[in-house]
Amino acid sequence: MTLEDLCRALLPPAVMELSGSDGNRGVPRVPPSLQLADLNQDGLISHSEYVFFITLLSIRPRDLFIAFRMFDLDQNGTLDARELQTVLRVLNMKNPCMLSLLETEDLDLSDEKLPEIAGEVELDTLMAFFRASDGKVTYRSFMEVFAQVHRSVHEIEFELWDHEHNGYMTPFQFGLSIASRAPPSDIDEYVGRAQILRDMEGRITPEENHEFLIALDSLEKIVSAINLYTLDKPNRFNKGSFARAFTAVTGFTIPSIMVDVIFVMLDRDGDGVLDFDELVTALRRHKLSTRTEQTTTW
């Protein structure tokens, strides 16, 4: 697997097709943080390197904080090599795709083949990847590496949609990005709905798209906040209550143009109101963890 193959694998499969990148035009560039996935610098991504990197993308931010605190045994705000390896091993074993792989291979946690299958890498390489200093990885560098990896994946996708290098996504392109996460059987329906957006004016910046994708890790909390705000009609909300709850939970003031596009794409009955099923079913596929679906098909 090449670095460009890795970049493709990290994106929902439909992105390449809907952005027009499945022909001669491929991934525009490989960001430096994703080049680090080639841990041994041989120009190719091995199975262990691939699984290791997919694991990084599958871990939720709130799990990172808890895991770091739990395995920082001396509570000094750092992890040594063994502690760091243990953290990643535990988090990897919570990955649904890894659990599925263990079941397929008929392995258990004591199997000697587990480190290879789970994508474990040499301790020195691991420490270098997480920018260790004096044999220790700080919480700050630990979180910065994860954040940089996620941002790089978002940058790749944004550049695929913004193939004319305008520096922004149009409402139509943002709508297609939502369509690309739909179940395969529903993609045509969502693409058809996106046609409504062709003449809509507005721009979505790279930072806005990145903040939106990161915020979706809090999707259930957003819906809970909406329910508090609309007690008279639980699980049903309009644009105003959606935007208010989105900002209250995530701290990201979602632009009105993004809200407009979301409602065009997800309000399937066209009544101007979303319900829980409409929102969660569609947007849950936007979450970063969906990229781990590629883990078992390396």
Side-chain angles (χ1 to χ4, degrees):
M1 173 181 280
T2 66
L3 281 167
E4 183 167 333
D5 291 332
L6 173 67
C7 292
R8 289 173 179 268
L10 296 178
L11 301 172
V15 167
M16 300 302 292
E17 178 182 355
L18 295 182
S19 66
S21 304
D22 58 337
N24 295 328
R25 183 167 58 85
V27 175
R29 66 183 180 91
V30 180
S33 62
L34 295 191
Q35 293 176 23
L36 294 175
D38 181 13
L39 298 173
N40 62 5
Q41 298 296 300
D42 66 351
L44 295 172
I45 304 299
S46 68
H47 176 270
S48 293
E49 291 169 336
Y50 177 64
V51 176
F52 169 73
F53 214 70
I54 288 292
T55 297
L56 299 186
L57 288 169
S58 71
I59 302 171
R60 296 175 299 181
R62 59 179 176 270
D63 289 339
L64 291 176
F65 174 75
I66 294 171
F68 193 98
R69 293 292 300 273
M70 287 292 294
F71 290 96
D72 177 15
L73 300 180
D74 50 12
Q75 297 296 298
N76 65 352
T78 64
L79 297 177
D80 62 26
R82 291 295 179 186
E83 290 172 336
L84 178 60
Q85 186 179 57
T86 301
V87 167
L88 295 177
R89 180 180 296 168
V90 169
L91 291 173
N92 200 6
M93 290 305 104
K94 292 180 63 178
N95 182 344
C97 290
M98 180 54 61
L99 294 176
S100 175
L101 182 59
L102 291 176
E103 183 177 351
T104 300
E105 299 287 338
D106 193 26
L107 300 174
D108 58 39
L109 298 182
S110 63
D111 198 289
E112 61 183 14
K113 292 172 59 180
L114 182 61
E116 177 184 355
I117 291 177
E120 293 190 6
V121 299
E122 296 293 332
L123 290 180
D124 289 346
T125 302
L126 190 64
M127 295 299 278
F129 184 84
F130 281 95
R131 306 169 186 168
S133 177
D134 297 326
K136 299 285 186 177
V137 174
T138 66
Y139 177 72
R140 179 176 179 176
S141 65
F142 183 72
M143 296 301 292
E144 283 179 348
V145 167
F146 280 95
Q148 188 175 20
V149 168
H150 283 297
R151 180 178 287 275
S152 293
V153 175
H154 297 165
E155 288 175 357
I156 292 172
E157 182 176 353
F158 188 92
E159 290 172 9
L160 287 171
W161 294 114
D162 179 28
H163 49 78
E164 295 182 352
H165 309 292
N166 293 316
Y168 60 84
M169 291 169 67
T170 65
F172 176 60
Q173 290 166 336
F174 182 59
L176 287 179
S177 76
I178 293 176
S180 71
R181 268 74 176 194
S185 60
D186 294 339
I187 286 180
D188 287 345
E189 176 188 348
Y190 281 98
V191 170
R193 195 173 298 130
Q195 304 308 311
I196 302 172
L197 303 168
R198 281 190 176 275
D199 297 326
M200 181 182 288
E201 296 183 354
R203 299 179 177 184
I204 292 95
T205 68
E207 187 63 26
E208 288 168 342
N209 187 61
H210 170 69
E211 291 290 344
F212 173 73
L213 293 172
I214 291 296
L216 288 180
D217 186 61
S218 303
L219 180 58
E220 281 76 12
K221 290 183 179 180
I222 293 170
V223 173
S224 295
I226 292 170
N227 288 338
L228 289 174
Y229 190 61
T230 57
L231 291 176
D232 55 331
K233 296 181 179 179
N235 287 330
R236 289 181 61 78
F237 37 90
N238 57 26
K239 293 180 182 180
S241 56
F242 172 76
R244 184 182 181 91
F246 202 100
T247 300
V249 171
T250 68
F252 169 52
T253 303
I254 184 169
S256 60
I257 186 62
M258 298 183 86
V259 176
D260 290 343
V261 171
I262 290 169
F263 270 69
V264 168
M265 295 298 297
L266 305 184
D267 181 14
R268 303 184 74 167
D269 55 15
D271 64 354
V273 176
L274 293 184
D275 61 29
F276 181 86
D277 290 337
E278 286 177 326
L279 180 69
V280 175
T281 299
L283 290 189
R284 183 172 280 147
R285 296 187 66 86
H286 245 64
K287 286 188 176 184
L288 297 171
S289 59
T290 61
R291 296 188 180 96
T292 62
E293 294 172 4
Q294 300 290 325
T295 300
T296 59
T297 59
W298 178 86

